[in-house]
Amino acid sequence: MADTNMPEIKIDADNMYREESFSDLKVGSIRKLIPVTANGDDDDSRAVRYEGSASLMTPAGSLPLSFELEADDLAGAIEKFPEAVNAEAERAIEELKEMQRQQSQKIQVPGQGGGQGGFGGGQGSGRIQF
């Protein structure tokens, strides 16, 4: 039976892109998004887009970064990659710090989990902390 509470999921045929991927196999990758019509033909009325991606290693593991590159061609996207990835990394780190700050300000109420006492609480409980 179909769930009647589910929204209709539909692809926007007027906003389709063909994707090409480029990578240095070390630092990250760049996606070239070429606008196309619903028939798959190039749509010259819209601009080509470039998006970069990389991973930032944190104490908790790899943090994926994704960001737009304002460029007219692949060479321009490559040139803008370092500044854009650094800006996105700084934004992500600040967001993580803010989440950590908010988490540390929460009032711990006994019996609602996350406390330091009882079984499974306290040090060595296997929880990941930033």
Side-chain angles (χ1 to χ4, degrees), residues 34-70:
I34 303 151
V36 296
T37 65
N39 294 330
D41 299 324
D42 286 1
D43 182 354
D44 296 329
S45 70
R46 296 184 290 145
V48 171
R49 297 177 52 185
Y50 291 90
E51 294 180 353
S53 63
S55 293
L56 175 66
M57 291 307 294
T58 71
S62 178
L63 176 65
L65 302 173
S66 183
F67 44 91
E68 190 166 339
L69 296 164
E70 301 270 339

Short mmCIF file of all heavy atoms in Angstrom, two decimals, residues 34-70:
data_model
loop_
_atom_site.label_atom_id
_atom_site.label_comp_id
_atom_site.label_asym_id
_atom_site.label_seq_id
_atom_site.Cartn_x
_atom_site.Cartn_y
_atom_site.Cartn_z
N ILE A 34 26.40 20.82 -16.91
CA ILE A 34 26.03 21.40 -18.19
C ILE A 34 24.51 21.36 -18.32
O ILE A 34 23.91 20.27 -18.26
CB ILE A 34 26.68 20.62 -19.35
CG1 ILE A 34 28.20 20.61 -19.15
CG2 ILE A 34 26.28 21.19 -20.70
CD1 ILE A 34 28.88 19.39 -19.73
N PRO A 35 23.86 22.52 -18.45
CA PRO A 35 22.40 22.52 -18.55
C PRO A 35 21.93 21.82 -19.83
O PRO A 35 22.52 21.98 -20.89
CB PRO A 35 22.02 23.99 -18.56
CG PRO A 35 23.27 24.74 -18.84
CD PRO A 35 24.42 23.86 -18.54
N VAL A 36 20.89 21.01 -19.67
CA VAL A 36 20.30 20.30 -20.81
C VAL A 36 18.78 20.42 -20.75
O VAL A 36 18.20 20.70 -19.71
CB VAL A 36 20.70 18.80 -20.82
CG1 VAL A 36 22.20 18.62 -21.02
CG2 VAL A 36 20.24 18.08 -19.57
N THR A 37 18.17 20.20 -21.90
CA THR A 37 16.71 20.17 -21.98
C THR A 37 16.24 18.79 -21.52
O THR A 37 17.04 17.88 -21.32
CB THR A 37 16.24 20.42 -23.42
OG1 THR A 37 16.68 19.33 -24.24
CG2 THR A 37 16.77 21.74 -23.97
N ALA A 38 14.94 18.64 -21.41
CA ALA A 38 14.38 17.34 -21.02
C ALA A 38 14.69 16.27 -22.06
O ALA A 38 14.66 15.08 -21.75
CB ALA A 38 12.86 17.47 -20.83
N ASN A 39 15.04 16.67 -23.28
CA ASN A 39 15.42 15.72 -24.32
C ASN A 39 16.90 15.36 -24.27
O ASN A 39 17.36 14.53 -25.05
CB ASN A 39 15.09 16.28 -25.71
CG ASN A 39 13.61 16.43 -25.92
OD1 ASN A 39 12.81 15.68 -25.37
ND2 ASN A 39 13.22 17.41 -26.72
N GLY A 40 17.67 16.04 -23.41
CA GLY A 40 19.09 15.76 -23.29
C GLY A 40 19.97 16.64 -24.16
O GLY A 40 21.19 16.48 -24.15
N ASP A 41 19.36 17.56 -24.90
CA ASP A 41 20.14 18.48 -25.73
C ASP A 41 20.69 19.61 -24.86
O ASP A 41 20.07 20.00 -23.88
CB ASP A 41 19.27 19.09 -26.84
CG ASP A 41 18.69 18.03 -27.77
OD1 ASP A 41 19.40 17.04 -28.05
OD2 ASP A 41 17.53 18.20 -28.19
N ASP A 42 21.88 20.13 -25.22
CA ASP A 42 22.44 21.25 -24.47
C ASP A 42 21.46 22.42 -24.47
O ASP A 42 20.84 22.72 -25.49
CB ASP A 42 23.77 21.71 -25.10
CG ASP A 42 24.91 20.74 -24.80
OD1 ASP A 42 24.67 19.72 -24.13
OD2 ASP A 42 26.03 21.02 -25.25
N ASP A 43 21.32 23.06 -23.30
CA ASP A 43 20.44 24.21 -23.14
C ASP A 43 21.31 25.45 -22.99
O ASP A 43 21.77 25.79 -21.91
CB ASP A 43 19.56 24.02 -21.91
CG ASP A 43 18.57 25.15 -21.70
OD1 ASP A 43 18.63 26.16 -22.44
OD2 ASP A 43 17.74 25.03 -20.78
N ASP A 44 21.55 26.14 -24.12
CA ASP A 44 22.44 27.31 -24.14
C ASP A 44 21.84 28.54 -23.46
O ASP A 44 22.54 29.53 -23.28
CB ASP A 44 22.83 27.65 -25.58
CG ASP A 44 23.65 26.54 -26.23
OD1 ASP A 44 24.39 25.85 -25.48
OD2 ASP A 44 23.56 26.36 -27.45
N SER A 45 20.58 28.48 -23.06
CA SER A 45 19.96 29.62 -22.39
C SER A 45 20.35 29.68 -20.91
O SER A 45 20.07 30.68 -20.24
CB SER A 45 18.43 29.57 -22.52
OG SER A 45 17.90 28.50 -21.75
N ARG A 46 20.99 28.63 -20.39
CA ARG A 46 21.42 28.62 -18.98
C ARG A 46 22.94 28.43 -18.93
O ARG A 46 23.54 27.85 -19.82
CB ARG A 46 20.73 27.49 -18.21
CG ARG A 46 19.22 27.69 -18.13
CD ARG A 46 18.55 26.62 -17.29
NE ARG A 46 18.58 25.34 -17.98
CZ ARG A 46 18.72 24.16 -17.36
NH1 ARG A 46 18.85 24.11 -16.05
NH2 ARG A 46 18.73 23.04 -18.05
N ALA A 47 23.54 28.91 -17.85
CA ALA A 47 25.00 28.87 -17.69
C ALA A 47 25.47 27.52 -17.16
O ALA A 47 24.77 26.87 -16.37
CB ALA A 47 25.45 29.97 -16.74
N VAL A 48 26.66 27.13 -17.57
CA VAL A 48 27.34 25.96 -17.01
C VAL A 48 27.72 26.29 -15.57
O VAL A 48 28.09 27.43 -15.26
CB VAL A 48 28.59 25.61 -17.85
CG1 VAL A 48 29.43 24.54 -17.17
CG2 VAL A 48 28.19 25.17 -19.25
N ARG A 49 27.61 25.31 -14.68
CA ARG A 49 27.96 25.50 -13.27
C ARG A 49 29.12 24.58 -12.92
O ARG A 49 29.27 23.50 -13.48
CB ARG A 49 26.77 25.16 -12.38
CG ARG A 49 25.58 26.07 -12.61
CD ARG A 49 24.40 25.67 -11.78
NE ARG A 49 24.78 25.53 -10.37
CZ ARG A 49 23.97 25.09 -9.42
NH1 ARG A 49 22.75 24.74 -9.72
NH2 ARG A 49 24.38 25.00 -8.18
N TYR A 50 29.94 25.02 -11.96
CA TYR A 50 31.04 24.21 -11.44
C TYR A 50 30.88 24.07 -9.94
O TYR A 50 30.57 25.05 -9.25
CB TYR A 50 32.40 24.85 -11.76
CG TYR A 50 32.71 24.83 -13.23
CD1 TYR A 50 32.33 25.89 -14.06
CD2 TYR A 50 33.38 23.75 -13.80
CE1 TYR A 50 32.60 25.87 -15.42
CE2 TYR A 50 33.66 23.72 -15.16
CZ TYR A 50 33.27 24.78 -15.96
OH TYR A 50 33.54 24.75 -17.31
N GLU A 51 31.06 22.84 -9.43
CA GLU A 51 30.99 22.58 -8.01
C GLU A 51 32.22 21.79 -7.60
O GLU A 51 32.63 20.86 -8.29
CB GLU A 51 29.73 21.78 -7.66
CG GLU A 51 28.45 22.56 -7.89
CD GLU A 51 27.21 21.77 -7.55
OE1 GLU A 51 27.30 20.56 -7.24
OE2 GLU A 51 26.12 22.36 -7.60
N GLY A 52 32.80 22.15 -6.46
CA GLY A 52 33.95 21.46 -5.93
C GLY A 52 33.57 20.60 -4.75
O GLY A 52 32.57 20.84 -4.08
N SER A 53 34.39 19.58 -4.50
CA SER A 53 34.19 18.75 -3.31
C SER A 53 35.54 18.23 -2.83
O SER A 53 36.46 18.02 -3.61
CB SER A 53 33.23 17.59 -3.58
OG SER A 53 33.76 16.73 -4.56
N ALA A 54 35.62 18.07 -1.52
CA ALA A 54 36.83 17.56 -0.87
C ALA A 54 36.41 17.03 0.49
O ALA A 54 35.25 17.19 0.90
CB ALA A 54 37.88 18.67 -0.72
N SER A 55 37.34 16.41 1.21
CA SER A 55 37.07 15.91 2.55
C SER A 55 38.05 16.54 3.53
O SER A 55 39.24 16.64 3.23
CB SER A 55 37.20 14.39 2.60
OG SER A 55 36.19 13.79 1.84
N LEU A 56 37.53 16.93 4.67
CA LEU A 56 38.34 17.48 5.75
C LEU A 56 38.42 16.43 6.84
O LEU A 56 37.40 15.94 7.31
CB LEU A 56 37.68 18.75 6.29
CG LEU A 56 38.32 19.42 7.50
CD1 LEU A 56 39.71 19.96 7.12
CD2 LEU A 56 37.43 20.54 8.00
N MET A 57 39.64 16.07 7.24
CA MET A 57 39.80 15.08 8.30
C MET A 57 39.67 15.78 9.65
O MET A 57 40.33 16.79 9.90
CB MET A 57 41.16 14.39 8.18
CG MET A 57 41.25 13.48 6.96
SD MET A 57 39.92 12.28 6.81
CE MET A 57 40.22 11.24 8.22
N THR A 58 38.82 15.26 10.50
CA THR A 58 38.60 15.79 11.85
C THR A 58 38.87 14.66 12.85
O THR A 58 38.97 13.50 12.44
CB THR A 58 37.15 16.28 12.03
OG1 THR A 58 36.28 15.15 12.07
CG2 THR A 58 36.74 17.22 10.90
N PRO A 59 38.95 14.97 14.13
CA PRO A 59 39.12 13.91 15.13
C PRO A 59 37.99 12.87 15.09
O PRO A 59 38.18 11.73 15.47
CB PRO A 59 39.11 14.67 16.46
CG PRO A 59 39.57 16.04 16.12
CD PRO A 59 39.03 16.30 14.74
N ALA A 60 36.83 13.28 14.60
CA ALA A 60 35.68 12.37 14.52
C ALA A 60 35.61 11.64 13.18
O ALA A 60 34.70 10.85 12.95
CB ALA A 60 34.39 13.13 14.76
N GLY A 61 36.53 11.93 12.27
CA GLY A 61 36.52 11.27 10.96
C GLY A 61 36.45 12.28 9.82
O GLY A 61 36.64 13.47 10.01
N SER A 62 36.14 11.78 8.67
CA SER A 62 36.11 12.59 7.46
C SER A 62 34.83 13.42 7.38
O SER A 62 33.73 12.91 7.59
CB SER A 62 36.20 11.67 6.24
OG SER A 62 36.14 12.41 5.05
N LEU A 63 34.99 14.71 7.08
CA LEU A 63 33.86 15.62 6.92
C LEU A 63 33.81 16.04 5.46
O LEU A 63 34.71 16.71 4.96
CB LEU A 63 34.04 16.85 7.82
CG LEU A 63 33.00 17.95 7.72
CD1 LEU A 63 31.64 17.43 8.19
CD2 LEU A 63 33.42 19.15 8.53
N PRO A 64 32.76 15.63 4.74
CA PRO A 64 32.67 16.00 3.32
C PRO A 64 32.35 17.48 3.15
O PRO A 64 31.53 18.04 3.88
CB PRO A 64 31.52 15.13 2.79
CG PRO A 64 30.73 14.76 3.99
CD PRO A 64 31.65 14.79 5.17
N LEU A 65 33.04 18.11 2.21
CA LEU A 65 32.82 19.52 1.89
C LEU A 65 32.35 19.62 0.45
O LEU A 65 32.91 18.97 -0.43
CB LEU A 65 34.12 20.32 2.06
CG LEU A 65 34.78 20.27 3.44
CD1 LEU A 65 36.13 20.98 3.38
CD2 LEU A 65 33.89 20.90 4.48
N SER A 66 31.38 20.46 0.21
CA SER A 66 30.87 20.68 -1.13
C SER A 66 30.60 22.18 -1.28
O SER A 66 30.05 22.80 -0.37
CB SER A 66 29.58 19.88 -1.34
OG SER A 66 29.12 20.03 -2.65
N PHE A 67 30.98 22.75 -2.42
CA PHE A 67 30.91 24.20 -2.58
C PHE A 67 30.84 24.56 -4.05
O PHE A 67 31.31 23.84 -4.91
CB PHE A 67 32.13 24.86 -1.94
CG PHE A 67 33.42 24.15 -2.26
CD1 PHE A 67 34.18 24.51 -3.35
CD2 PHE A 67 33.83 23.09 -1.47
CE1 PHE A 67 35.34 23.82 -3.66
CE2 PHE A 67 35.01 22.40 -1.77
CZ PHE A 67 35.76 22.77 -2.86
N GLU A 68 30.22 25.71 -4.31
CA GLU A 68 30.11 26.21 -5.68
C GLU A 68 31.40 26.93 -6.06
O GLU A 68 32.03 27.57 -5.23
CB GLU A 68 28.92 27.15 -5.80
CG GLU A 68 28.61 27.51 -7.25
CD GLU A 68 27.25 28.15 -7.41
OE1 GLU A 68 26.38 27.98 -6.54
OE2 GLU A 68 27.07 28.84 -8.43
N LEU A 69 31.78 26.82 -7.32
CA LEU A 69 32.95 27.51 -7.85
C LEU A 69 32.47 28.48 -8.92
O LEU A 69 31.92 28.07 -9.93
CB LEU A 69 33.94 26.51 -8.45
CG LEU A 69 34.55 25.52 -7.46
CD1 LEU A 69 35.20 24.35 -8.19
CD2 LEU A 69 35.57 26.23 -6.58
N GLU A 70 32.64 29.77 -8.67
CA GLU A 70 32.22 30.80 -9.63
C GLU A 70 33.28 30.87 -10.72
O GLU A 70 34.32 31.50 -10.53
CB GLU A 70 32.09 32.14 -8.92
CG GLU A 70 31.11 32.15 -7.78
CD GLU A 70 29.71 32.51 -8.21
OE1 GLU A 70 29.57 33.13 -9.28
OE2 GLU A 70 28.77 32.18 -7.47
#
